[in-house]
Amino acid sequence: MPAISGREFLQRMEALKPNVWLKGQAITENLISHPAYKGAIQTKASLYNLQVEKGAIDFMTFPSPFTQNRVGMSYLEPKTIEDLQKRRKMIEYWANATCGMMGRSPDYMNTALMSLSAASAIVSAQDEEFSKNLRNMYETALEQDLSFTHSFINPQVNRSSAFIETSGQPIAAKVIKKTAEGLIIQGARLLATEGGMTDEVLIFPSGGNQSGDEYAFAFSIPANTKGLKFICREPFHTGESAFNYPLSSRFDEMDTLLVFDHVLVPWNRVFFYHRQDIAFKLFNYSGFISHALHQVVTRQTVKLQFLIGLSQLLINTLDVSEYEHIKLKLSDMILGLESMQALLLKSEAEAKIDAFGTMTPSIHPLYAAVNLFSKLYPHYISLLQQIGAGGLMLLPSEEDFASPIGKDIEQYLQGTSVDAKTKTKLFRLVWELTMSSFGTRQTHYERYFFGDPIRLAKNLYSGYAREQYIERVTDFLNQTKERPHD
């Protein structure tokens, strides 16, 4: 099977029928038509359509190393810097289609699976069959263009470093039994974004404080596996009107709690279990972090471009470009964008072949970029609010324009160079990105996208080589001769 189209994706989602719960009720209708899922699923389908367009297929797909079918470029295991650049071009194309708003577009987890599969030799330390399982999962996903949600995080019962779970019934998902058929998993995991709207669920060990062997496992199972439930947060989708809700009507990726109720994971889907050492090595010695961050920073850069474009259009519409504080706000955003772009390109320029033969971006520029973005994005959202000012407080709806009061709105809410409807459409976009529940979730999501910013900063501090700079200062001090006394 080659790279799929949006129609094929929708057909798969219609046939899947996962066990999804929303506001205490099991969703019995198909998710592709449910208000909480419809917009994001249709948008995701449009992404799959983009990869098979005549004008894009050459850079959105590549010949499979297994069958020579054209398959999604997000599955490409890079061997050269040019391959990394091909991957970035694909990521940018999809990110532009969603304005960078969908953090779990298919390329994110496809990238993760590719990088983990490339380092599958790590899991062979437990069993060679597990290494085969990981490679087979990658090959199957590549050939069938599967989509994945995932979870690395345990429920936040207690974030103390000294916490040890003592509950009689498991809270954090763990292995409770090993059988001839596979592992039995009981407990919960969060945060599975797009839970219920992917083919597969990929589980890897949490970076939290659950350190027992029973919590150290990895596998992938179909989203409709018996005993697996998805419990949704409250939807941020409040209507299908693209005028009233230009972002949430299309890009509201549902976040879910995963509940495993005696879920059987067949042995041919297990990548390792009861091995904390393998979990550590898979994250720290594979190219997973570098490749995942390469995708993340590419999408975040596109999102900043959209934010700058939106800010400048708002400035033009309000005719406020003469004010110094407005120029400073836009200059601030431009500095951030140029910094993100430079760090991304530096990661590619300094890429090297890793121990598993994969061309891997330099991790330090990417760590710097993702740390920077977690600070920049909330700040820039605040700047956009300040540019919009009081105009964001009262916004008519699409229905208002079509009602008997439409003439009043057209008269009293017009702009200097645009009519009231055009102005309102722009302001509603700014409002939804900066002040709605959808926009607030976006800000919080970006702040913690790749983990706790403090931990990310510590990783950068711990791994960044500074010896050569110390030597330079030491050499300078040694070359400085004491001045003779008069």
Side-chain angles (χ1 to χ4, degrees):
M1 294 177 62
I4 62 171
S5 66
R7 178 180 58 82
E8 291 167 304
F9 170 71
L10 292 175
Q11 288 173 343
R12 289 216 300 237
M13 292 302 99
E14 191 169 13
L16 191 65
K17 297 179 173 57
N19 186 9
V20 181
W21 288 70
L22 175 64
K23 293 187 174 181
Q25 300 287 326
I27 297 179
T28 55
E29 66 185 279
N30 202 287
L31 291 183
I32 67 173
S33 57
H34 191 280
Y37 277 87
K38 180 180 178 180
I41 288 179
Q42 291 292 336
T43 297
K44 198 168 178 180
S46 73
L47 296 182
Y48 284 113
N49 280 334
L50 289 177
Q51 72 177 354
V52 295
E53 284 182 342
K54 284 185 178 179
I57 195 167
D58 287 340
F59 66 87
M60 291 298 290
T61 66
F62 72 103
S64 163
F66 307 107
T67 63
Q68 294 302 301
N69 286 330
R70 300 295 301 191
V71 294
M73 186 67 76
S74 54
Y75 282 110
L76 175 68
E77 184 180 330
K79 299 297 183 182
T80 65
I81 290 178
E82 288 73 22
D83 285 343
L84 286 178
Q85 294 167 343
K86 289 178 183 178
R87 288 182 51 81
R88 172 165 48 81
K89 186 176 182 181
M90 171 273 304
I91 295 164
E92 288 172 342
Y93 198 66
W94 266 355
N96 274 304
T98 66
C99 312
M101 301 293 163
M102 292 188 77
R104 291 296 184 263
S105 53
D107 46 318
Y108 178 71
M109 284 312 299
N110 296 356
T111 297
L113 181 59
M114 174 278 295
S115 58
L116 293 168
S117 172
S120 62
I122 292 174
V123 304
S124 65
Q126 181 171 32
D127 194 319
E128 185 62 38
E129 289 301 312
F130 292 159
S131 179
K132 291 179 182 178
N133 291 348
L134 187 48
R135 292 296 294 178
N136 287 342
M137 188 72 251
Y138 166 68
E139 181 178 348
T140 300
L142 178 147
E143 293 294 342
Q144 298 182 16
D145 214 352
L146 298 181
S147 58
F148 293 80
T149 186
H150 78 293
S151 174
F152 297 147
I153 306 173
N154 289 325
Q156 293 184 336
V157 177
N158 186 324
R159 295 186 66 191
S160 166
S161 61
F163 172 69
I164 299 176
E165 184 178 307
T166 57
S167 171
Q169 292 294 319
I171 298 175
K174 66 179 183 178
V175 177
I176 61 169
K177 187 186 294 185
K178 184 175 72 171
T179 72
E181 290 77 29
L183 302 176
I184 305 298
I185 308 296
Q186 180 75 18
R189 279 293 194 93
L190 54 89
L191 176 71
T193 301
E194 293 197 356
M197 53 179 281
T198 65
D199 300 286
E200 294 271 328
V201 177
L202 188 64
I203 300 294
F204 275 85
S206 168
N209 49 21
Q210 298 292 359
S211 57
D213 281 344
E214 66 268 32
Y215 300 101
F217 51 79
F219 58 81
S220 186
I221 53 175
N224 58 0
T225 295
K226 181 180 178 182
L228 177 62
K229 291 196 292 284
F230 300 88
I231 300 179
C232 300
R233 60 156 166 80
E234 184 170 348
F236 298 143
H237 170 274
T238 46
E240 294 187 13
S241 167
F243 183 98
N244 290 341
Y245 312 106
L247 299 175
S248 63
S249 63
R250 290 178 265 194
F251 306 135
D252 184 18
E253 299 174 286
M254 179 57 71
D255 302 304
T256 62
L257 173 71
L258 295 176
V259 176
F260 296 83
D261 186 4
H262 287 81
V263 170
L264 170 64
V265 180
W267 284 118
N268 66 352
R269 284 179 163 271
V270 174
F271 306 142
F272 67 87
Y273 72 100
H274 286 180
R275 290 289 297 268
Q276 296 179 61
D277 60 325
I278 291 179
F280 176 83
K281 290 177 181 177
L282 203 57
F283 279 100
N284 291 279
Y285 298 161
S286 75
F288 164 73
I289 294 176
S290 292
H291 286 289
L293 283 176
H294 186 252
Q295 189 277 341
V296 170
V297 174
T298 300
R299 178 191 61 80
Q300 290 175 335
T301 300
V302 169
K303 195 170 187 176
L304 277 188
Q305 293 169 346
F306 182 79
L307 209 60
I308 289 174
L310 179 58
S311 299
Q312 188 62 60
L313 185 57
L314 184 61
I315 289 167
N316 295 347
T317 301
L318 295 172
D319 195 17
V320 292
S321 59
E322 65 182 288
Y323 299 114
E324 291 298 315
H325 75 93
I326 294 293
K327 295 176 183 177
L328 289 175
K329 287 178 173 62
L330 259 291
S331 295
D332 196 345
M333 292 186 183
I334 293 168
L335 285 170
L337 174 60
E338 288 294 316
S339 298
M340 291 287 289
Q341 289 175 325
L343 289 166
L344 181 59
L345 294 178
K346 185 174 189 285
S347 78
E348 294 175 358
E350 296 181 352
K352 295 180 180 178
I353 295 289
D354 68 12
F356 307 100
T358 306
M359 181 61 71
T360 302
S362 176
I363 196 168
H364 297 312
L366 295 171
Y367 261 138
V370 77
N371 270 279
L372 181 63
F373 190 79
S374 70
K375 298 177 178 67
L376 291 181
Y377 188 77
H379 175 52
Y380 292 168
I381 289 297
S382 175
L383 295 183
L384 190 50
Q385 288 175 327
Q386 292 170 49
I387 296 169
L392 297 173
M393 297 299 292
L394 194 154
L395 299 173
S397 67
E398 185 175 33
E399 293 79 4
D400 288 324
F401 282 98
S403 74
I405 61 171
K407 290 184 179 179
D408 291 329
I409 295 171
E410 290 283 6
Q411 174 64 23
Y412 300 121
L413 292 181
Q414 62 182 288
T416 303
S417 57
V418 296
D419 60 35
K421 197 166 189 177
T422 301
K423 179 185 173 185
T424 299
K425 192 173 183 180
L426 172 63
F427 268 76
R428 290 197 70 94
L429 174 56
V430 175
W431 165 81
E432 193 166 35
L433 183 57
T434 65
M435 298 174 65
S436 71
S437 56
F438 173 88
T440 301
R441 185 261 185 192
Q442 286 281 319
T443 301
H444 201 62
Y445 195 59
E446 297 295 6
R447 185 181 280 121
Y448 291 98
F449 187 90
F450 212 71
D452 183 348
I454 303 300
R455 180 178 59 80
L456 292 175
K458 284 174 60 179
N459 290 344
L460 184 60
Y461 174 86
S462 299
Y464 196 87
R466 300 180 290 276
E467 290 76 13
Q468 60 179 322
Y469 308 135
I470 296 172
E471 290 176 7
R472 191 177 303 169
V473 176
T474 302
D475 289 344
F476 175 80
L477 290 173
N478 290 336
Q479 293 167 10
T480 305
K481 296 181 180 179
E482 187 175 338
R483 292 181 61 185
H485 295 291
D486 293 334

